[in-house]
Amino acid sequence: MTIAICPGSFDPVTNGHLDIIQRAAEIFDQVIVAVGHNPGKTPLFTVEERMALLERVIGEARLTNVRVDHFHGLQVEYARAQKAQVIVKGLRALSDFEYEFQMALTNKKLAPEIETVFMMTANEYSFLSSSMVKEIVLFGGNPDGLVPPVVLTALHEKMEKRGRING
Ligand code: PNS
């Protein structure tokens, strides 16, 4: 049985992420979508909120061989603990490549038995990122079609709350 982990910040999950998760679920027996802690980023959603949104979206897509989890520390250590053989990453543009290449080679050094598999993102999501979606909503735009409806609602709620806190 091949187990793959799909690590990321998912702050929040976009249709681009979902596309990669769906395609991974068709290839691998089990997929674990793992919400990681990126010390370089200040997230909008808590880990629990991000996991809840992922669970909703994965449930709606009826992906029965996918589950959601979170991890601290190195993704290869997490992969080992889950007995996963594969790390799945989505590649959008050339700009992703250098960072992902570096991470894949570092992971290979740390855990030679774990393979990183890259999937090219679907054309219609090649420009899409969680940061862009957050910016669109922050400035009153409409990211319709870029995130699942449940995520759009959560984004509006979060921005509203922030607005109230900031005056
Ligand atoms: O969606 P992101 O922000 O690119 O996700 C990044 C995340 C959190 C999945 C990644 O930074 C991560 O796994 N960090 C944990 C530390 C690690 O294993 N880094 C890679 C090898 S140095």
Side-chain angles (χ1 to χ4, degrees):
M1 182 163 86
T2 312
I3 303 173
I5 67 160
C6 203
S9 298
F10 303 105
D11 185 42
V13 57
T14 66
N15 285 344
H17 293 130
L18 187 59
D19 170 62
I20 298 290
I21 294 166
Q22 273 170 326
R23 285 157 58 196
E26 282 170 23
I27 296 172
F28 303 106
D29 298 306
Q30 240 188 63
V31 175
I32 306 168
V33 179
V35 178
H37 301 263
N38 188 340
K41 289 183 182 172
T42 307
L44 178 65
F45 292 96
T46 65
V47 171
E48 291 72 23
E49 288 169 336
R50 285 179 264 162
M51 287 177 68
L53 287 173
L54 277 162
E55 269 157 11
R56 279 284 298 274
V57 166
I58 286 162
E60 282 167 6
R62 298 184 199 286
L63 302 175
T64 51
N65 60 336
V66 179
R67 67 181 173 88
V68 179
D69 195 10
H70 70 104
F71 70 100
H72 288 274
L74 293 173
Q75 51 182 263
V76 287
E77 290 305 335
Y78 174 76
R80 272 180 177 152
Q82 298 299 316
K83 304 203 180 332
Q85 303 91 330
V86 177
I87 295 172
V88 175
K89 300 301 298 273
L91 272 187
R92 287 167 301 193
L94 212 56
S95 51
D96 276 347
F97 181 77
E98 201 170 332
Y99 171 70
E100 293 296 346
F101 183 62
Q102 191 182 15
M103 196 181 303
L105 292 189
T106 308
N107 283 343
K108 196 74 188 162
K109 182 79 186 156
L110 295 172
E113 78 281 14
I114 295 172
E115 206 56 60
T116 299
V117 171
F118 289 110
M119 285 188 184
M120 299 310 294
T121 189
N123 199 25
E124 65 263 42
Y125 303 130
S126 57
F127 60 93
L128 181 57
S129 70
S130 298
S131 310
M132 284 293 172
V133 169
K134 284 183 279 194
E135 208 164 299
I136 294 170
V137 176
L138 182 67
F139 292 109
N142 182 7
D144 223 12
L146 303 182
V147 289
V150 63
V151 173
L152 189 55
T153 307
L155 273 163
H156 282 138
E157 281 171 7
K158 186 65 91 175
M159 296 295 179
E160 219 171 90
K161 243 183 237 166
R162 291 241 156 154
R164 281 205 296 270
I165 290 166
N166 298 332

